[in-house]
PDB file of all heavy atoms in Angstrom:
ATOM      1  N   ALA A 100     -20.327  -2.342  10.196  1.00  0.00           N
ATOM      2  CA  ALA A 100     -20.181  -1.054   9.508  1.00  0.00           C
ATOM      3  C   ALA A 100     -21.542  -0.580   9.033  1.00  0.00           C
ATOM      4  O   ALA A 100     -22.286  -1.358   8.413  1.00  0.00           O
ATOM      5  CB  ALA A 100     -19.245  -1.197   8.316  1.00  0.00           C
ATOM      6  N   PRO A 101     -21.868   0.684   9.285  1.00  0.00           N
ATOM      7  CA  PRO A 101     -23.086   1.234   8.663  1.00  0.00           C
ATOM      8  C   PRO A 101     -22.889   1.245   7.151  1.00  0.00           C
ATOM      9  O   PRO A 101     -21.790   1.490   6.667  1.00  0.00           O
ATOM     10  CB  PRO A 101     -23.157   2.662   9.195  1.00  0.00           C
ATOM     11  CG  PRO A 101     -22.182   2.744  10.313  1.00  0.00           C
ATOM     12  CD  PRO A 101     -21.178   1.659  10.109  1.00  0.00           C
ATOM     13  N   ARG A 102     -23.945   0.969   6.411  1.00  0.00           N
ATOM     14  CA  ARG A 102     -23.852   1.073   4.953  1.00  0.00           C
ATOM     15  C   ARG A 102     -23.665   2.544   4.586  1.00  0.00           C
ATOM     16  O   ARG A 102     -24.059   3.437   5.326  1.00  0.00           O
ATOM     17  CB  ARG A 102     -25.098   0.528   4.292  1.00  0.00           C
ATOM     18  CG  ARG A 102     -25.221  -0.973   4.409  1.00  0.00           C
ATOM     19  CD  ARG A 102     -26.393  -1.454   3.562  1.00  0.00           C
ATOM     20  NE  ARG A 102     -26.601  -2.862   3.686  1.00  0.00           N
ATOM     21  CZ  ARG A 102     -26.076  -3.785   2.886  1.00  0.00           C
ATOM     22  NH1 ARG A 102     -25.302  -3.427   1.897  1.00  0.00           N
ATOM     23  NH2 ARG A 102     -26.325  -5.055   3.079  1.00  0.00           N
ATOM     24  N   ALA A 103     -23.042   2.777   3.453  1.00  0.00           N
ATOM     25  CA  ALA A 103     -22.839   4.145   2.982  1.00  0.00           C
ATOM     26  C   ALA A 103     -24.171   4.703   2.461  1.00  0.00           C
ATOM     27  O   ALA A 103     -25.054   3.949   2.048  1.00  0.00           O
ATOM     28  CB  ALA A 103     -21.798   4.161   1.868  1.00  0.00           C
ATOM     29  N   GLY A 104     -24.310   6.011   2.501  1.00  0.00           N
ATOM     30  CA  GLY A 104     -25.466   6.678   1.921  1.00  0.00           C
ATOM     31  C   GLY A 104     -26.721   6.578   2.762  1.00  0.00           C
ATOM     32  O   GLY A 104     -26.670   6.409   3.983  1.00  0.00           O
ATOM     33  N   GLU A 105     -27.855   6.646   2.069  1.00  0.00           N
ATOM     34  CA  GLU A 105     -29.162   6.663   2.728  1.00  0.00           C
ATOM     35  C   GLU A 105     -29.414   5.404   3.558  1.00  0.00           C
ATOM     36  O   GLU A 105     -29.980   5.475   4.642  1.00  0.00           O
ATOM     37  CB  GLU A 105     -30.268   6.846   1.679  1.00  0.00           C
ATOM     38  CG  GLU A 105     -31.651   6.971   2.270  1.00  0.00           C
ATOM     39  CD  GLU A 105     -31.819   8.160   3.203  1.00  0.00           C
ATOM     40  OE1 GLU A 105     -31.138   9.188   3.011  1.00  0.00           O
ATOM     41  OE2 GLU A 105     -32.628   8.058   4.155  1.00  0.00           O
ATOM     42  N   ALA A 106     -28.976   4.252   3.052  1.00  0.00           N
ATOM     43  CA  ALA A 106     -29.183   3.001   3.791  1.00  0.00           C
ATOM     44  C   ALA A 106     -28.541   3.065   5.169  1.00  0.00           C
ATOM     45  O   ALA A 106     -29.130   2.642   6.164  1.00  0.00           O
ATOM     46  CB  ALA A 106     -28.627   1.819   3.000  1.00  0.00           C
ATOM     47  N   GLY A 107     -27.339   3.613   5.255  1.00  0.00           N
ATOM     48  CA  GLY A 107     -26.666   3.744   6.543  1.00  0.00           C
ATOM     49  C   GLY A 107     -27.359   4.737   7.453  1.00  0.00           C
ATOM     50  O   GLY A 107     -27.445   4.538   8.671  1.00  0.00           O
ATOM     51  N   ARG A 108     -27.863   5.814   6.871  1.00  0.00           N
ATOM     52  CA  ARG A 108     -28.592   6.809   7.685  1.00  0.00           C
ATOM     53  C   ARG A 108     -29.880   6.218   8.241  1.00  0.00           C
ATOM     54  O   ARG A 108     -30.391   6.677   9.254  1.00  0.00           O
ATOM     55  CB  ARG A 108     -28.852   8.070   6.872  1.00  0.00           C
ATOM     56  CG  ARG A 108     -27.577   8.880   6.625  1.00  0.00           C
ATOM     57  CD  ARG A 108     -27.855  10.236   5.995  1.00  0.00           C
ATOM     58  NE  ARG A 108     -28.270  10.148   4.603  1.00  0.00           N
ATOM     59  CZ  ARG A 108     -27.447   9.994   3.562  1.00  0.00           C
ATOM     60  NH1 ARG A 108     -26.138   9.907   3.766  1.00  0.00           N
ATOM     61  NH2 ARG A 108     -27.916   9.938   2.329  1.00  0.00           N
ATOM     62  N   GLN A 109     -30.406   5.188   7.577  1.00  0.00           N
ATOM     63  CA  GLN A 109     -31.608   4.503   8.065  1.00  0.00           C
ATOM     64  C   GLN A 109     -31.270   3.422   9.079  1.00  0.00           C
ATOM     65  O   GLN A 109     -32.149   2.748   9.591  1.00  0.00           O
ATOM     66  CB  GLN A 109     -32.380   3.893   6.894  1.00  0.00           C
ATOM     67  CG  GLN A 109     -32.994   4.915   5.988  1.00  0.00           C
ATOM     68  CD  GLN A 109     -33.681   4.268   4.792  1.00  0.00           C
ATOM     69  OE1 GLN A 109     -33.712   3.053   4.642  1.00  0.00           O
ATOM     70  NE2 GLN A 109     -34.232   5.104   3.934  1.00  0.00           N
ATOM     71  N   GLY A 110     -29.984   3.207   9.334  1.00  0.00           N
ATOM     72  CA  GLY A 110     -29.561   2.238  10.339  1.00  0.00           C
ATOM     73  C   GLY A 110     -29.150   0.887   9.803  1.00  0.00           C
ATOM     74  O   GLY A 110     -28.881  -0.028  10.579  1.00  0.00           O
ATOM     75  N   ASN A 111     -29.071   0.720   8.489  1.00  0.00           N
ATOM     76  CA  ASN A 111     -28.667  -0.558   7.908  1.00  0.00           C
ATOM     77  C   ASN A 111     -27.157  -0.760   8.059  1.00  0.00           C
ATOM     78  O   ASN A 111     -26.381   0.151   7.793  1.00  0.00           O
ATOM     79  CB  ASN A 111     -29.050  -0.627   6.433  1.00  0.00           C
ATOM     80  CG  ASN A 111     -30.545  -0.621   6.226  1.00  0.00           C
ATOM     81  OD1 ASN A 111     -31.295  -1.162   7.023  1.00  0.00           O
ATOM     82  ND2 ASN A 111     -30.988   0.005   5.151  1.00  0.00           N
ATOM     83  N   THR A 112     -26.790  -1.967   8.467  1.00  0.00           N
ATOM     84  CA  THR A 112     -25.382  -2.279   8.702  1.00  0.00           C
ATOM     85  C   THR A 112     -25.030  -3.629   8.090  1.00  0.00           C
ATOM     86  O   THR A 112     -25.914  -4.422   7.764  1.00  0.00           O
ATOM     87  CB  THR A 112     -25.063  -2.341  10.208  1.00  0.00           C
ATOM     88  OG1 THR A 112     -25.857  -3.374  10.808  1.00  0.00           O
ATOM     89  CG2 THR A 112     -25.311  -1.014  10.902  1.00  0.00           C
ATOM     90  N   VAL A 113     -23.740  -3.868   7.943  1.00  0.00           N
ATOM     91  CA  VAL A 113     -23.220  -5.179   7.561  1.00  0.00           C
ATOM     92  C   VAL A 113     -22.077  -5.499   8.524  1.00  0.00           C
ATOM     93  O   VAL A 113     -21.406  -4.590   9.024  1.00  0.00           O
ATOM     94  CB  VAL A 113     -22.728  -5.227   6.099  1.00  0.00           C
ATOM     95  CG1 VAL A 113     -23.898  -5.128   5.142  1.00  0.00           C
ATOM     96  CG2 VAL A 113     -21.720  -4.151   5.802  1.00  0.00           C
ATOM     97  N   GLY A 114     -21.872  -6.778   8.788  1.00  0.00           N
ATOM     98  CA  GLY A 114     -20.839  -7.166   9.735  1.00  0.00           C
ATOM     99  C   GLY A 114     -19.895  -8.198   9.173  1.00  0.00           C
ATOM    100  O   GLY A 114     -20.178  -8.843   8.161  1.00  0.00           O
ATOM    101  N   LEU A 115     -18.781  -8.364   9.867  1.00  0.00           N
ATOM    102  CA  LEU A 115     -17.730  -9.255   9.419  1.00  0.00           C
ATOM    103  C   LEU A 115     -16.929  -9.731  10.628  1.00  0.00           C
ATOM    104  O   LEU A 115     -16.585  -8.922  11.496  1.00  0.00           O
ATOM    105  CB  LEU A 115     -16.807  -8.482   8.465  1.00  0.00           C
ATOM    106  CG  LEU A 115     -15.670  -9.204   7.784  1.00  0.00           C
ATOM    107  CD1 LEU A 115     -16.215 -10.149   6.715  1.00  0.00           C
ATOM    108  CD2 LEU A 115     -14.750  -8.191   7.126  1.00  0.00           C
ATOM    109  N   TYR A 116     -16.646 -11.030  10.678  1.00  0.00           N
ATOM    110  CA  TYR A 116     -15.735 -11.539  11.698  1.00  0.00           C
ATOM    111  C   TYR A 116     -14.320 -11.351  11.177  1.00  0.00           C
ATOM    112  O   TYR A 116     -13.954 -11.896  10.142  1.00  0.00           O
ATOM    113  CB  TYR A 116     -16.009 -13.024  11.996  1.00  0.00           C
ATOM    114  CG  TYR A 116     -17.238 -13.223  12.837  1.00  0.00           C
ATOM    115  CD1 TYR A 116     -18.450 -13.584  12.265  1.00  0.00           C
ATOM    116  CD2 TYR A 116     -17.184 -13.009  14.212  1.00  0.00           C
ATOM    117  CE1 TYR A 116     -19.581 -13.747  13.045  1.00  0.00           C
ATOM    118  CE2 TYR A 116     -18.310 -13.172  15.003  1.00  0.00           C
ATOM    119  CZ  TYR A 116     -19.512 -13.540  14.414  1.00  0.00           C
ATOM    120  OH  TYR A 116     -20.620 -13.692  15.187  1.00  0.00           O
ATOM    121  N   VAL A 117     -13.532 -10.563  11.887  1.00  0.00           N
ATOM    122  CA  VAL A 117     -12.218 -10.157  11.408  1.00  0.00           C
ATOM    123  C   VAL A 117     -11.238 -10.120  12.583  1.00  0.00           C
ATOM    124  O   VAL A 117     -11.653 -10.086  13.745  1.00  0.00           O
ATOM    125  CB  VAL A 117     -12.344  -8.771  10.707  1.00  0.00           C
ATOM    126  CG1 VAL A 117     -12.750  -7.690  11.675  1.00  0.00           C
ATOM    127  CG2 VAL A 117     -11.091  -8.400   9.949  1.00  0.00           C
ATOM    128  N   CYS A 118      -9.947 -10.123  12.284  1.00  0.00           N
ATOM    129  CA  CYS A 118      -8.936  -9.993  13.341  1.00  0.00           C
ATOM    130  C   CYS A 118      -9.275  -8.759  14.171  1.00  0.00           C
ATOM    131  O   CYS A 118      -9.472  -7.666  13.622  1.00  0.00           O
ATOM    132  CB  CYS A 118      -7.539  -9.851  12.734  1.00  0.00           C
ATOM    133  SG  CYS A 118      -6.953 -11.339  11.900  1.00  0.00           S
TER     134      CYS A 118
END
Side-chain angles (χ1 to χ4, degrees):
R102 290 188 183 267
E105 184 61 30
R108 289 188 288 279
Q109 292 177 1
N111 295 326
T112 61
V113 291
L115 184 71
Y116 284 99
V117 65
C118 292

